[in-house]
């Protein structure tokens, strides 16, 4: 089983994963920072009494939420791509494992047949 994991790990494009890691980490930290301080700060800020000022404040909040949503979408897309790469690697490993099982079974049958032939011929 350890050989299977090693094969799966070899199939992962580690160069791409390592290359994308800093951007993903930075985006995740930025997103985490925005979500931790964003709602509390905006909820605590009172709306101005004037209609125009209130509308401007709401537009600002909506813009901030849209920006946060876009950052989240980029991060999720990146994570989904990495997940897809891992799924492809695991699928390839599954196919190789099935082929190896068939090959070992055939080798076992051939060995038993040769052993029976050798013992029967003596």
């Amino acid at each position: 089983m350890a050989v299977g994991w090693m094969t799966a790990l070899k199939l992962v494009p580690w160069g791409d994963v390592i290359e994308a890691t800093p951007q993903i980490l930075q985006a995740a930290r930025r997103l985490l920072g925005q979500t931790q301080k964003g709602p509390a700060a905006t909820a605590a800020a009172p709306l101005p009494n004037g209609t125009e000022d209130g509308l401007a404040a709401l537009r600002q909040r909506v813009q901030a939420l849209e920006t946060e949503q876009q950052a989240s979408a980029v991060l999720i897309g990146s994570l989904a791509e990495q997940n897809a790469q891992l799924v492809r690697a695991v699928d390839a490993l599954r196919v190789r494992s099935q082929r190896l099982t068939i090959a070992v079974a055939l080798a076992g049958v051939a060995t038993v047949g040769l052993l029976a032939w050798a013992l029967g011929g003596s």
Side-chain angles (χ1 to χ4, degrees):
M1 191 64 179
V3 174
W5 280 107
M6 293 303 294
T7 304
L9 292 175
K10 288 179 184 177
L11 292 174
V12 175
W14 290 110
D16 295 340
V17 172
I18 291 171
E19 182 180 316
T21 300
Q23 293 93 0
I24 293 171
L25 185 59
Q26 182 182 20
R29 285 181 179 161
R30 188 175 50 234
L31 180 62
L32 182 62
Q34 288 175 350
T35 55
Q36 285 180 345
K37 69 179 179 181
T42 56
L47 284 176
N49 290 334
T51 305
E52 291 298 321
D53 292 338
L55 187 57
L58 287 175
R59 284 186 179 149
Q60 247 181 349
R61 287 184 188 178
V62 168
Q63 181 64 36
L65 289 172
E66 287 176 350
T67 303
E68 185 178 326
Q69 183 181 14
Q70 288 172 353
S72 297
V74 169
L75 177 62
I76 290 169
S78 177
L79 292 173
E81 178 59 33
Q82 286 186 1
N83 188 37
Q85 290 175 354
L86 289 173
V87 166
R88 285 191 297 269
V90 168
D91 187 50
L93 179 61
R94 181 187 58 80
V95 169
R96 286 184 180 184
S97 176
Q98 287 175 343
R99 289 178 182 168
L100 182 61
T101 300
I102 291 170
V104 167
L106 289 175
V109 168
T111 302
V112 169
L114 285 174
L115 185 61
W117 176 75
L119 292 177
S122 301

